[in-house]
Amino acid sequence: MHIVVCIKQVPDTSDVKINPETNTLIREGVVSIINPFDENAVEAALVLKEKLGAKVTVMTMGPPQAESALRETIALGVDDVVLLSDRAFAGSDTWATSYALGKGIAHLEERPDLILFGKQAIDGDTAQVGPGVAEFLNLPIITYVRKVEVEGQLAKVERVFEDGYERMEAELPLVLTVLKEMNVPRMASLRGRMKAKKAEIKKWTAAEIGADPENTGLAGSPTKVVKIFSPPKKVGGIKIEGTAALDAARTVVGKLKEQKVI
Amino acid sequence: MFIQGLTDEYVDYLKDESRLIGYAEGICFPESEAQVQEVVRGAWQKDMPLTFQGARTGITAGAVPKGGWILNLSRMNRIRALRLDEAVGAFRLTVEPGILLCDLQRRLEETAFDTADWDEESLKALARFRESGPHFFSPDPTETTASLGGMAACNASGARSFRYQSMRAHVRGLRVVTQRGEVLSMRRGELVADHGEFSMHSEQGTVFTGRLPGGVPPKVSKCAAGYFLDPSMDLTDLFIGAEGTLGVITEITVGLLPLPKTIWGVMIFLPEESAAWRFIQEVRALQGKGGADLLAAVEYFDGSALNLLRGIHGGGMDDLPVLKERWNSAVYVEYHGEEEPLEQALEELCGCMERYGLQDEDAWIADHPRERERMRLFRHAVPETVNGLIAERKKMHPGLTKLGTDMAVPDERLEEMMRMYREDLNRSGLESVIFGHIGNNHVHVNIIPRDPGEYEAGKRLYLNWAARVVDWGGTVSAEHGIGKLKAPFLKLMVGESELREWMALKRVFDPKELFNPGNLFGV
Ligand SMILES: Cc1cc2nc3c(=O)[nH]c(=O)nc-3n(C[C@H](O)[C@H](O)[C@H](O)COP(=O)(O)OP(=O)(O)OC[C@H]3O[C@@H](n4cnc5c(N)ncnc54)[C@H](O)[C@@H]3O)c2cc1C
């Protein structure tokens, strides 16, 4: 069994400060991390590897420094990593990213049985790349997964909704995007860390994976960003300064009725 | 500044983290050394006992008053000066005693100080400081809301004291207000004892002379059990760890250290406790060879501590990876330094693990701040969970408290000490966890009694252990101090006749025995 996990290196947003004048992120000094949901995807792959003896490959598309994210996953115990890195990929939107990753996966020697993604990246929050790749590879996809088991060629999956979850079964090969509640990512092992430092990282260019220049990078991105702005801060609101909790609650109920909310 | 009588809003000041509750006739919050002098003078005239308070995070009731007035230093919390000691290229910060460790840490991190009252030299030093890369203040008793004054008074230390030593090593100077409100000002290296005799002048011109008690100090790397004594000691050291029995600290100058470039934490899990104790000694022995002198902390968690953590999985500590069933103890080591020698230290550690037949997955590494934070939470979860358990049991039996030891022994006694704890605890059937700073042969045994009978049994065990530890040349307190709660243990360690000499020393500075009554000497 071969499991591929796609990850993204993102700025640690828990660490990001906003420049109050320009309202933009101050990126200096912000450390890069593996997108947290992707860590859950890697963990899910490693758990399956332990159970079923699978091979795990991690792939990322990104600038050369994304290599450090791949090394981190080697320290966690993945078998192989691939970095798709090329100037031609610069400026990719979710469509072009999905295209490139799809090409990269198709270029792997061993066909994957399972392809895992985090539910979304914390810097863009689109949740589109997993489904995009599934589409390019013409594979079935289940999103928002909190649990997966594999028996033979069958995956048993729990997919979460706002108000519940559904149990699904699907045949491999299959694409999944996973939630945080799926697992607790392991810590890197000491020896894994040493191995990671020396590991050879496969680097593939757009040409090597046979990506059409028309479809990659800025040129291949149908999304046009017209304007970036911070949403206006929420202002106002009413503070109910009642002494007794009961009075305060009554006032709230009154207001809600007024607004026809209840 | 002064509040006569203790109204309801001040009752919190009658206790500290030991949860012992005292009593007092008044409380004051001086804002300057001059005001402290005024209070101490007033107390002298009225023969009024004084209890000094920092942030009341102490756990031996050192800041719990037994009558008299409380002198609380929380409003003296300014950073007064910064200097660059050109000779050694080190920065020194002068602070008031009430500043909290967490505030100091934040200021250093952000290099942001309130410089309104700073002199020219401090401002110049600040400019240099900002160009000199990040610095830190190393003593960290994990409870970061402690005050610097309290930390100096107790000679506090923490996990990283394995490499950086306790508070004492970082105090470069002190100002102390002693009897009649007189001020002693000292800087390290300026005034030392001579063959056990000492003599110092107050700024008011009074001469304080005396003879230091003899006796053999414990042969341990960490000690917070009363006076530091040595025939040729620096007199600054007399006031560090004195727990406010000689006077009140009104100003402290501390040394800062450059922040290491790289910090790595490694948590190693072992199947057996006794193997862990040997493993620790081997890791420690690597010290000095190759890169291993970068070792900054060596901590231990016994099997019960791991079980405790397994129990809370899914209960708020969800961020902890699963602990394998076959793990029965854990050792945490932290390395500080430059990347290259660190790699070598890790190679050596790997070699050590191999000799113990450990597998890849038996050692976690944290080289990312985020990962280190996860490991910190792991380590903190142990004492926190114990406290939670005690709080739960207190509901049934209000008299219960945690029984926590704080003893350290010389290097060669480590295994013997651990075996003693393990065998006695197994035999007693008491619930317990053992964790702490094992690199310094210093662990905390926490006995978690289920009922008053067990509480008494635990106390008996504790007393037996203290006697053994003293026999081995150890200390009854390595970091928490003696305060009021552990005074009987100090007596056991120092002996009655020498303790009388200690009292004579105290009376040189405090002839009326007004300062922190009960601390060290008991009530
Ligand atoms: C969860 C927890 C974990 C802890 N872990 C550690 C640890 O790992 N290592 C460690 O060393 N400690 C530890 N401690 C104990 C505590 O944090 C330290 O003892 C600390 O140094 C006390 O500082 P404080 O300001 O709270 O002092 P207080 O509790 O206010 O006072 C402590 C003693 O110092 C005296 N004192 C305070 N200020 C002055 C002054 N200006 N002049 C003269 N005397 C003064 C008081 O009279 C009292 O005797 C821990 C405490 C807690 C609650």
Side-chain angles (χ1 to χ4, degrees):
Chain A
M1 181 167 170
H2 185 203
I3 306 172
V4 172
V5 188
C6 294
I7 68 167
K8 182 179 187 185
Q9 194 176 45
V10 295
D12 186 355
T13 46
S14 60
D15 191 38
V16 165
K17 295 183 183 76
I18 307 273
N19 179 335
E21 273 152 36
T22 59
N23 256 334
T24 52
L25 294 187
I26 303 173
R27 285 192 180 249
E28 275 148 49
V30 176
V31 286
S32 293
I33 58 171
I34 298 177
N35 176 44
F37 298 111
D38 300 351
E39 288 184 324
N40 297 104
V42 172
E43 177 65 25
L46 292 172
V47 169
L48 287 172
K49 172 185 163 165
E50 281 164 356
K51 262 196 214 142
L52 309 168
K55 171 186 172 180
V56 178
T57 301
V58 170
M59 183 177 283
T60 188
M61 185 192 88
Q65 60 265 31
E67 191 187 308
S68 66
L70 292 177
R71 285 195 195 277
E72 276 182 57
T73 65
I74 296 175
L76 293 172
V78 311
D79 303 288
D80 206 359
V81 296
V82 180
L83 173 63
L84 305 182
S85 198
D86 196 317
R87 295 211 101 129
F89 294 136
S92 295
D93 70 355
T94 56
W95 192 94
T97 303
S98 307
Y99 171 77
L101 286 171
K103 281 290 188 190
I105 291 169
H107 191 68
L108 288 168
E109 226 165 77
E110 201 179 327
R111 291 202 144 271
D113 302 284
L114 198 58
I115 305 173
L116 302 180
F117 290 82
K119 110 180 147 157
Q120 65 200 45
I122 57 168
D123 57 347
D125 281 333
T126 69
Q128 289 171 2
V129 173
V133 171
E135 193 58 32
F136 277 114
L137 294 174
N138 200 20
L139 290 176
I141 178 163
I142 304 175
T143 50
Y144 304 106
V145 171
R146 71 166 189 192
K147 193 171 171 194
V148 59
E149 273 163 23
V150 175
E151 285 166 23
Q153 280 305 103
L154 199 67
K156 295 184 172 174
V157 166
E158 284 181 16
R159 169 191 155 91
V160 174
F161 293 104
E162 269 172 22
D163 51 358
Y165 69 93
E166 58 187 9
R167 281 208 195 93
M168 303 173 85
E169 291 184 359
E171 267 183 35
L172 305 183
L174 173 69
V175 181
L176 304 176
T177 75
V178 311
L179 300 175
K180 188 164 181 48
E181 60 196 90
M182 180 130 185
N183 51 43
V184 177
R186 68 196 58 199
M187 306 275 287
S189 78
L190 173 56
R191 257 174 269 216
R193 168 73 181 58
M194 317 271 282
K195 205 168 93 191
K197 185 152 167 104
K198 296 177 200 129
E200 209 37 66
I201 307 274
K202 267 190 210 131
K203 284 173 205 154
W204 290 348
T205 61
E208 278 172 278
I209 59 173
D212 180 349
E214 299 257 296
N215 292 335
T216 56
L218 209 51
S221 294
T223 313
K224 294 285 171 274
V225 178
V226 180
K227 186 180 162 201
I228 295 180
F229 62 96
S230 298
K233 282 216 182 83
K234 273 200 184 136
V235 284
I238 320 165
K239 210 173 190 174
I240 296 159
E241 318 243 26
T243 38
L246 195 62
D247 290 340
R250 281 204 184 101
T251 319
V252 174
V253 170
K255 295 266 179 215
L256 290 175
K257 278 190 177 145
E258 231 171 73
Q259 305 278 327
K260 303 222 159 42
V261 179
I262 53 176
Chain B
M1 171 180 73
F2 200 91
I3 294 114
Q4 193 65 44
L6 233 66
T7 47
D8 271 359
E9 62 189 299
Y10 295 103
V11 291
D12 265 355
Y13 293 94
L14 295 175
K15 56 180 192 233
D16 67 2
E17 282 297 318
S18 71
R19 304 296 152 98
L20 199 76
I21 300 176
Y23 52 97
E25 286 158 48
I27 183 167
C28 61
F29 298 90
E31 288 171 28
S32 66
E33 183 181 270
Q35 291 187 349
V36 171
Q37 286 179 271
E38 203 182 305
V39 175
V40 175
R41 211 177 299 129
W44 171 270
Q45 283 156 3
K46 293 199 168 76
D47 287 341
M48 192 58 88
L50 284 172
T51 297
F52 310 128
Q53 289 186 339
R56 292 178 297 111
T57 69
I59 42 196
T60 58
V64 175
K66 290 282 174 198
W69 295 340
I70 298 169
L71 194 163
N72 184 294
L73 293 142
S74 55
R75 290 196 197 152
M76 284 180 69
N77 60 358
R78 278 161 299 189
I79 299 179
R80 309 193 59 107
L82 179 68
R83 291 283 184 275
L84 172 59
D85 185 341
E86 299 276 1
V88 286
F91 288 95
R92 318 277 193 222
L93 204 59
T94 299
V95 302
E96 292 182 338
I99 187 166
L100 302 186
L101 176 62
C102 52
D103 290 336
L104 179 68
Q105 286 172 338
R106 209 187 51 238
R107 301 284 177 80
L108 288 174
E109 218 169 276
E110 298 173 357
T111 66
F113 304 92
D114 180 0
T115 56
D117 306 327
W118 283 22
D119 59 7
E120 201 55 36
E121 212 184 326
S122 291
L123 295 174
K124 262 195 218 145
L126 181 57
R128 295 280 295 277
F129 184 69
R130 288 188 169 139
E131 292 160 6
S132 306
H135 278 68
F136 79 123
F137 174 66
S138 77
D140 183 355
T142 54
E143 178 54 67
T144 56
T145 60
S147 74
L148 271 275
M151 288 172 62
C154 296
N155 189 27
S157 51
R160 290 170 174 182
S161 297
F162 177 76
R163 170 155 183 200
Y164 301 102
Q165 301 177 285
S166 63
M167 186 73 182
R168 185 181 302 287
H170 304 275
V171 175
R172 309 300 309 172
L174 286 178
R175 287 176 68 84
V176 173
V177 171
T178 187
Q179 62 165 289
R180 302 169 211 253
E182 298 199 9
V183 179
L184 298 165
S185 170
M186 53 216 115
R187 275 204 282 184
R188 189 169 288 286
E190 283 185 356
L191 195 60
V192 294
D194 182 14
H195 296 90
E197 306 280 344
F198 70 90
S199 168
M200 52 200 312
H201 293 251
S202 72
E203 288 187 344
Q204 288 69 21
T206 306
V207 185
F208 296 87
T209 58
R211 189 164 175 79
L212 298 169
V216 189
K219 295 181 282 295
V220 293
S221 50
K222 237 165 121 186
C223 187
Y227 301 139
F228 175 92
L229 298 168
D230 182 85
S232 55
M233 67 186 286
D234 192 305
L235 291 175
T236 314
D237 282 326
L238 189 55
F239 297 85
I240 302 167
E243 299 192 22
T245 55
L246 307 177
V248 49
I249 298 166
T250 49
E251 190 182 277
I252 311 163
T253 300
V254 294
L256 304 175
L257 296 172
L259 194 68
K261 284 226 171 62
T262 312
I263 300 180
W264 282 345
V266 186
M267 184 80 76
I268 302 136
F269 297 92
L270 293 105
E272 268 182 59
E273 292 184 349
S274 55
W277 308 336
R278 287 195 307 276
F279 180 81
I280 285 151
Q281 295 176 79
E282 248 180 75
V283 170
R284 201 165 57 180
L286 291 173
Q287 184 86 332
K289 288 188 219 152
D293 46 336
L294 308 162
L295 205 49
V298 186
E299 306 271 302
Y300 174 71
F301 303 89
D302 76 344
S304 326
L306 298 189
N307 276 337
L308 211 61
L309 294 180
R310 288 186 181 105
I312 54 172
H313 255 296
M317 288 301 299
D318 289 352
D319 220 20
L320 291 183
V322 176
L323 300 176
K324 297 199 186 299
E325 278 310 316
R326 62 186 169 80
W327 292 339
N328 195 33
S329 56
V331 178
Y332 174 77
V333 289
E334 194 172 282
Y335 292 94
H336 291 188
E338 305 271 336
E339 185 104 11
E340 194 119 328
L342 276 183
E343 293 281 346
Q344 204 199 321
L346 289 193
E347 288 284 358
E348 284 170 8
L349 188 62
C350 273
C352 210
M353 282 180 58
E354 251 154 51
R355 287 196 291 283
Y356 279 77
L358 302 182
Q359 304 170 14
D360 267 19
E361 57 186 22
D362 296 340
W364 298 347
I365 181 163
D367 46 358
H368 219 281
R370 224 164 40 118
E371 297 295 297
R372 277 212 311 282
E373 177 60 16
R374 271 176 95 190
M375 269 194 203
R376 196 187 64 79
L377 288 176
F378 176 100
R379 296 187 287 137
H380 273 246
V382 176
E384 270 175 32
T385 313
V386 172
N387 291 346
L389 266 178
I390 292 283
E392 201 48 47
R393 290 184 188 167
K394 240 178 142 66
K395 286 182 192 157
M396 276 288 287
H397 305 281
L400 293 187
T401 60
K402 174 169 87 181
L403 287 164
T405 75
D406 178 36
M407 304 188 275
V409 294
D411 277 1
E412 66 275 11
R413 299 289 188 176
L414 172 63
E415 261 187 271
E416 221 168 328
M417 172 186 76
M418 296 307 289
R419 221 173 308 121
M420 166 183 81
Y421 288 148
R422 177 45 64 224
E423 285 170 7
D424 286 357
L425 285 167
N426 282 354
R427 210 172 308 127
S428 71
L430 293 170
E431 193 179 346
S432 69
V433 297
I434 305 178
F435 62 94
H437 319 304
I438 201 164
N440 291 106
N441 312 304
H442 168 215
V443 292
H444 301 296
V445 181
N446 281 185
I447 298 173
I448 317 164
R450 281 167 277 236
D451 56 50
E454 287 200 349
Y455 181 69
E456 290 306 319
K459 266 172 71 172
R460 282 194 297 276
L461 264 189
Y462 193 169
L463 216 70
N464 286 342
W465 291 336
R468 297 278 293 280
V469 163
V470 168
D471 272 349
W472 290 334
T475 177
V476 293
S477 171
E479 68 179 12
H480 291 159
I482 298 297
K484 299 177 181 64
L485 293 183
K486 298 198 173 170
F489 294 117
L490 184 68
K491 193 186 259 176
L492 182 80
M493 179 176 136
V494 178
E496 210 144 330
S497 73
E498 200 188 324
L499 209 56
R500 273 196 295 276
E501 285 181 50
W502 283 31
M503 182 48 100
L505 172 63
K506 170 179 163 74
R507 291 180 57 104
V508 171
F509 298 94
D510 180 22
K512 293 186 176 181
E513 294 177 32
L514 299 178
F515 300 153
N516 272 357
N519 281 11
L520 305 186
F521 302 98
V523 272

